Amino acid sequence: MSVILVFKISPFCKLNLENFLYEDSKMKFLRNIFAFLLIPAVVVAGYTLIKSFLYFMVSSGNRYVPFWIGILCYVVFQVILYKPMKTYVFGHELSHAIAGILSGARIKKFNIRKESGSIVLTKDNIWITLAPYFFPIYTFTVIIIYIFLGWFVDIKQFYGYFLFLAGFSIAFHVALTIYILSIEQSDLRIYGTFFSYIIIFMANIAVFVLLAALVFPDDIGVKDICLRVFGNIADIYKFIYAGVLEIWSAFRETR
């Protein structure tokens, strides 16, 4: 039995979720409005995450030095040597593939070239399309391998190496995602560039919270960060709502 989610906008108008995501000609305006309304949440969530990250970086002392070294090493590697685009492209298309498989799609074609790639799937949705921009596949690969090894050996002795690779791969994802987004991407046009950017940014925030909890399990809890982020988001929307009411009241008094 299939289930269709429907958002009721008014008694005379219904917005089907599939139409919202797929019918560009009819729904582009609504997607952009939705994305516009999310801007305060994106800004506040990003600010909260960066602030928490900087505080953690200062307060953690020397415990996670290999992680910061990993980030620095990748930045130096890309700036001085080159951008490993073929590695990125492979991960990019593989992310499409994994998201597609998880969404019930079948892979019909998978092609990788030096600085470009393509994949043909039997279905598409927004998560399949945008997955490479918020899913750091190599970082998750490092984490999975580290956890897998923990079933057989004492992995505490390898924690420093794990931190280095986690930092290196996260920097790889961030640096090359920013670079690739600076180039016009056909993926973003499918659902609208502005809408896609907002979704990518919010998804990255959620993923980085999860990664922080996986990489630093002793010091970072997903629950605490989420409560802080959602609390700040609620506060900003309350502030905006109060401001709108005040402006509206002032406008009515001048009439």
Side-chain angles (χ1 to χ4, degrees):
M1 179 179 178
S2 60
V3 178
I4 298 177
L5 297 177
V6 176
F7 295 105
K8 292 184 178 180
I9 299 178
S10 72
F12 309 102
C13 178
K14 291 184 179 180
L15 174 60
N16 184 286
L17 181 59
E18 289 189 358
N19 292 340
F20 180 76
L21 294 177
Y22 288 103
E23 293 183 12
D24 286 305
S25 60
K26 297 180 180 179
M27 307 307 297
K28 184 177 180 180
F29 176 74
L30 285 176
R31 285 200 299 269
N32 285 336
I33 291 296
F34 178 69
F36 179 78
L37 294 175
L38 284 177
I39 289 177
V42 169
V43 173
V44 169
Y47 170 77
T48 303
L49 188 64
I50 292 172
K51 183 179 178 181
S52 300
F53 181 78
L54 292 175
Y55 175 78
F56 170 74
M57 185 171 63
V58 173
S59 62
S60 61
N62 297 326
R63 285 177 294 171
Y64 303 117
V65 167
F67 179 80
W68 313 121
I69 292 176
I71 292 177
L72 180 62
C73 282
Y74 178 76
V75 172
V76 172
F77 175 82
Q78 179 169 311
V79 171
I80 295 180
L81 297 178
Y82 78 111
K83 300 180 184 71
M85 289 307 301
K86 192 166 185 177
T87 304
Y88 176 82
V89 169
F90 175 77
H92 184 102
E93 301 304 335
L94 187 59
S95 297
H96 281 309
I98 292 172
I101 292 170
L102 293 176
S103 299
R106 289 182 293 106
I107 301 172
K108 299 184 70 175
K109 184 179 179 182
F110 190 93
N111 184 35
I112 300 296
R113 291 184 292 275
K114 185 176 181 180
E115 292 196 2
S116 64
S118 62
I119 184 170
V120 178
L121 299 166
T122 55
K123 67 180 292 186
D124 186 27
N125 59 44
I126 192 168
W127 309 115
I128 295 173
T129 301
L130 301 182
Y133 304 102
F134 63 79
F135 180 69
I137 188 168
Y138 294 114
T139 305
F140 277 107
T141 300
V142 169
I143 292 172
I144 290 170
I145 292 174
Y146 183 71
I147 293 174
F148 178 76
L149 289 176
W151 294 346
F152 305 99
V153 297
D154 181 11
I155 55 174
K156 291 182 180 179
Q157 58 184 317
F158 303 113
Y159 188 57
Y161 299 104
F162 166 70
L163 287 175
F164 176 85
L165 291 174
F168 191 91
S169 59
I170 287 173
F172 169 89
H173 168 74
V174 172
L176 288 182
T177 297
I178 292 173
Y179 169 74
I180 209 71
L181 287 174
S182 68
I183 305 170
E184 186 176 2
Q185 295 297 309
S186 59
D187 290 343
L188 305 187
R189 294 199 301 269
I190 295 174
Y191 298 101
T193 302
F194 177 58
F195 177 74
S196 296
Y197 270 117
I198 294 296
I199 297 300
I200 288 169
F201 198 92
M202 292 203 71
N204 268 294
I205 290 172
V207 168
F208 275 99
V209 170
L210 175 61
L211 285 176
L214 291 172
V215 176
F216 313 111
D218 295 332
D219 292 293
I220 293 182
V222 173
K223 182 179 178 181
D224 293 337
I225 296 178
C226 288
L227 288 175
R228 196 178 308 134
V229 169
F230 285 117
N232 290 343
I233 289 174
D235 289 341
I236 192 64
Y237 278 111
K238 288 177 183 177
F239 176 78
I240 292 172
Y241 179 70
V244 170
L245 286 182
E246 187 175 341
I247 292 172
W248 175 247
S249 298
F251 173 75
R252 291 185 64 183
E253 290 176 0
T254 59
R255 293 180 62 183

